[in-house]
């Protein structure tokens, strides 16, 4: 107990120190990004925390995008924050034709993306007090390819993985390191990343078949059957689920439309994540 009416000033000083640290970070919302030795990221924190430390959705942008661009998807960001999640949006550094993308395909030269994202999470935990355990790695398009490869190679880095419109490239991995929790959503009429895959760069590269990638995940998760345990339709969205063990479940959601982050994706994904 602080005597002489000093409690309120002391508390105010503590709050100033705490929030001052966040302000000095200078990278919340759309201000300048947080800089670490291997790159940069943006972060946006919920106004009302449902739990401490804050759970996190780390979202990887698509080809030619940026962390700041991700933060401008206000519908998605607000929905995630309304559920009490911090949103982290890092920047890719690989450049192709002047566009930013991720180093996900084996053999490509560039930053160690797994190490970079570990450093992002450690830095955000130190600066803003976010959780290192209640974490979802999500991504769109090229970011979704990165999500799949990181989930395959480093399954313990995040609690769950949520790619949108992206799987593996050919030749896809023959196996993955360990089971994961996976929420994959895709547009039925996506022409940029078709469900069946396509060639890129005068057949220099080939996007893989999304269903072949799901087969790899079923094998990785030790699913007893290729048939889903549950299949249902919610309005125009078609979903299938495989519950194959502890921390080894897959949900695949097929939506009308093309290459985009589906409307309502944030709540659908978090409903799935929070079930377990």
């Amino acid at each position: 107990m602080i005597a002489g009416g000093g409690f309120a000033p002391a508390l105010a000083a503590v709050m100033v120190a705490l929030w001052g640290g966040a302000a000095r970070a200078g990278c919340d919302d759309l201000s300048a990004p947080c800089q670490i030795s291997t790159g940069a990221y943006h972060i946006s924190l919920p106004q009302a925390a449902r739990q401490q430390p804050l759970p996190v959705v780390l979202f990887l942008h698509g080809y030619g995008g940026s962390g700041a661009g991700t933060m401008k998807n206000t519908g998605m960001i607000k929905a995630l924050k309304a559920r009490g999640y911090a949103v982290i949006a890092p920047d890719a550094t690989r450049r192709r034709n002047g566009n930013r993308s991720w180093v996900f395909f084996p053999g490509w030269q560039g930053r160690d993306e797994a190490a970079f994202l570990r450093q992002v999470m450690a830095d955000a935990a130190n600066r803003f007090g976010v959780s290192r355990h209640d974490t979802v790695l999500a991504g769109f398009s090229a970011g979704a390819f990165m999500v799949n490869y990181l989930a395959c190679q480093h399954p313990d880095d995040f609690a769950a993985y949520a790619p949108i419109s992206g799987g593996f490239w050919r030749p896809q991995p023959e196996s993955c390191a360990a089971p994961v929790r996976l929420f994959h959503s895709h547009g039925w009429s996506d022409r940029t990343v078709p469900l069946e895959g396509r060639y890129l760069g005068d057949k220099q590269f080939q996007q893989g078949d999304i269903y072949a990638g799901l087969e790899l995940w079923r094998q990785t998760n030790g699913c007893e059957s290729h048939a889903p345990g549950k299949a249902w339709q919610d309005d125009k969205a078609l979903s299938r689920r495989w519950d194959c063990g502890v921390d080894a479940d897959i949900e695949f959601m097929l939506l009308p439309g093309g290459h985009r982050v589906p409307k309502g994706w944030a709540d659908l994904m978090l409903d799935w994540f929070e079930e377990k």
Side-chain angles (χ1 to χ4, degrees):
M1 180 72 68
I2 298 176
F7 178 78
L11 177 61
V14 170
M15 295 303 294
V16 167
L18 289 174
W19 286 107
R24 284 193 299 272
C27 51
D28 53 321
D29 295 312
L30 286 175
S31 60
C34 294
Q35 299 288 342
I36 59 177
S37 62
T38 50
Y41 69 91
H42 288 267
I43 185 169
S44 188
L45 305 173
Q47 290 184 343
R50 296 188 179 185
Q51 69 182 68
Q52 291 289 348
L54 292 170
V56 176
V57 175
L58 194 156
F59 197 96
L60 305 181
H61 62 76
Y63 176 77
S66 66
T70 295
M71 289 301 183
K72 291 179 182 179
N73 185 342
T74 54
M76 180 184 77
I77 301 301
K78 286 181 179 179
L80 294 171
K81 290 169 60 178
R83 297 281 289 262
Y85 285 73
V87 184
I88 295 175
D91 286 328
T93 56
R94 178 177 177 266
R95 294 283 184 171
R96 186 170 183 271
N97 299 326
N99 291 307
R100 211 189 311 246
S101 193
W102 303 95
V103 185
F104 61 80
F105 195 62
W108 282 355
Q109 299 298 312
R111 181 175 63 188
D112 182 335
E113 303 289 25
F116 165 63
L117 294 182
R118 290 187 203 110
Q119 291 169 1
V120 167
M121 290 302 302
D123 189 77
N126 291 334
R127 293 199 206 201
F128 301 102
V130 303
S131 175
R132 295 173 185 250
H133 304 289
D134 293 322
T135 56
V136 180
L137 179 63
F140 172 67
S141 193
F145 287 112
M146 186 76 260
V147 168
N148 272 275
Y149 280 95
L150 286 172
C152 184
Q153 297 163 1
H154 305 280
D156 294 331
D157 282 7
F158 292 85
Y161 297 87
I164 306 168
S165 299
F168 294 106
W169 280 16
R170 296 288 192 186
Q172 76 175 26
E174 294 182 359
S175 62
C176 292
V180 297
R181 299 197 63 209
L182 185 79
F183 184 89
H184 184 131
S185 52
H186 215 100
W188 170 257
S189 55
D190 192 330
R191 295 183 179 180
T192 304
V193 183
L195 288 164
E196 300 78 14
R198 69 180 178 117
Y199 284 105
L200 300 171
D202 196 26
K203 295 191 175 182
Q204 183 181 8
F205 300 107
Q206 185 181 10
Q207 293 172 350
D209 187 300
I210 296 300
Y211 296 106
L214 288 171
E215 181 178 17
L216 172 60
W217 283 121
R218 290 194 297 269
Q219 293 170 352
T220 300
N221 281 13
C223 300
E224 294 181 355
S225 172
H226 288 305
K230 182 181 179 182
W232 70 99
Q233 181 172 351
D234 184 6
D235 192 18
K236 296 181 180 180
L238 302 173
S239 296
R240 296 189 173 197
R241 181 179 295 173
W242 294 263
D243 288 302
C244 306
V246 178
D247 294 329
D249 60 291
I250 304 164
E251 187 163 319
F252 178 58
M253 184 172 62
L254 193 59
L255 299 125
H259 196 64
R260 58 184 176 83
V261 177
K263 184 178 180 180
W265 170 85
D267 283 314
L268 291 168
M269 186 275 292
L270 290 181
D271 287 345
W272 163 82
F273 177 60
E274 292 174 358
E275 280 184 5
K276 295 186 178 181

